[in-house]
Amino acid sequence: MISTNSNRTAPPPAPPGTGVRLAVLEAMVLKHPGATTQQVCDRLIKPSTRMRKKQTCAYIDLLAAASAGSKVGSTGPATCFISHAWSLPLADVVDCMAQYESSHPNTLFWFDLVCNNQHNTTARPFEWWRDAFRFNIRGIGALLLVASPWDKPVVASRAWCLWEVYSAIAVNASTAIAIPSSQQAAF
């Protein structure tokens, strides 16, 4: 179930960040059933992006390099920013993305799990995170809020998620809210 504020359709001018295709995230869910976003970060993202000589990268950098030269790669300019809580099952977050994509074909998702370098995140100052999220929301022009559980969404208690929603409103980005399919009957 998706709720959208369709009166916020014009994206503000700014180049968006790189996004990832839904299929990549669906593959992660299949390889890590039942895992939360945090668990997938610890089990897949961080080990995959740790390079030699203490160098690191974002997972999306690996995806972009792997799909270089292909007609339809797994990455490209993001068209939807995902606001979610890391404590949620990744499957629920990806389910909400699939719902969004059903009405927005070929969406490329700016999903912090893969788009940000997940190493040494505490070394970055508050201002870096604040500006990175707002800049990307402005450039992308669309935000999807993952509301789970439906009756007490975790995102409503997370300061960064509230900042992302505020940023979407402030830059006039279109916003959508999705509830995982498994919870819709109870809604």
Side-chain angles (χ1 to χ4, degrees):
M1 171 184 299
I2 292 203
S3 172
T4 308
N5 73 335
S6 58
N7 63 337
R8 299 182 186 271
T9 57
T18 303
V20 64
R21 293 199 184 279
L22 180 63
V24 171
L25 303 170
E26 289 172 332
M28 284 183 190
V29 169
L30 291 174
K31 289 180 183 175
H32 301 276
T36 65
T37 303
Q38 181 64 59
Q39 290 168 331
V40 172
C41 183
D42 294 338
R43 296 175 191 168
L44 171 68
I45 303 299
K46 284 184 176 179
S48 298
T49 56
R50 194 169 287 120
M51 321 282 260
R52 286 183 245 140
K53 297 181 183 179
K54 297 186 182 184
Q55 292 180 342
T56 60
C57 67
Y59 194 75
I60 202 153
D61 297 328
L62 300 178
L63 295 171
S67 64
S70 66
K71 277 189 170 182
V72 180
S74 56
T75 65
T79 57
C80 183
F81 184 102
I82 304 302
S83 183
H84 67 103
W86 280 54
S87 61
L88 297 177
L90 181 62
D92 285 353
V93 178
V94 173
D95 174 79
C96 291
M97 292 180 197
Q99 292 176 56
Y100 183 87
E101 187 174 44
S102 70
S103 59
H104 301 83
N106 301 311
T107 300
L108 288 156
F109 296 99
W110 194 97
F111 186 43
D112 57 356
L113 174 68
V114 298
C115 294
N116 283 332
N117 183 328
Q118 297 301 328
H119 299 275
N120 300 318
T121 56
T122 56
R124 295 184 189 110
F126 162 79
E127 295 80 11
W128 186 93
W129 293 105
R130 178 198 65 202
D131 296 345
F133 291 152
R134 190 170 207 170
F135 173 82
N136 278 290
I137 292 167
R138 176 184 295 123
I140 294 165
L143 177 135
L144 173 63
L145 182 70
V146 176
S148 180
W150 74 269
D151 57 343
K152 192 174 181 183
V154 177
V155 292
S157 67
R158 304 290 303 156
W160 280 117
C161 296
L162 296 173
W163 171 254
E164 292 161 358
V165 170
Y166 167 78
S167 294
I169 293 166
V171 302
N172 204 30
S174 73
T175 55
I177 300 172
I179 298 169
S181 299
S182 63
Q183 300 174 27
Q184 291 178 10
F187 182 72

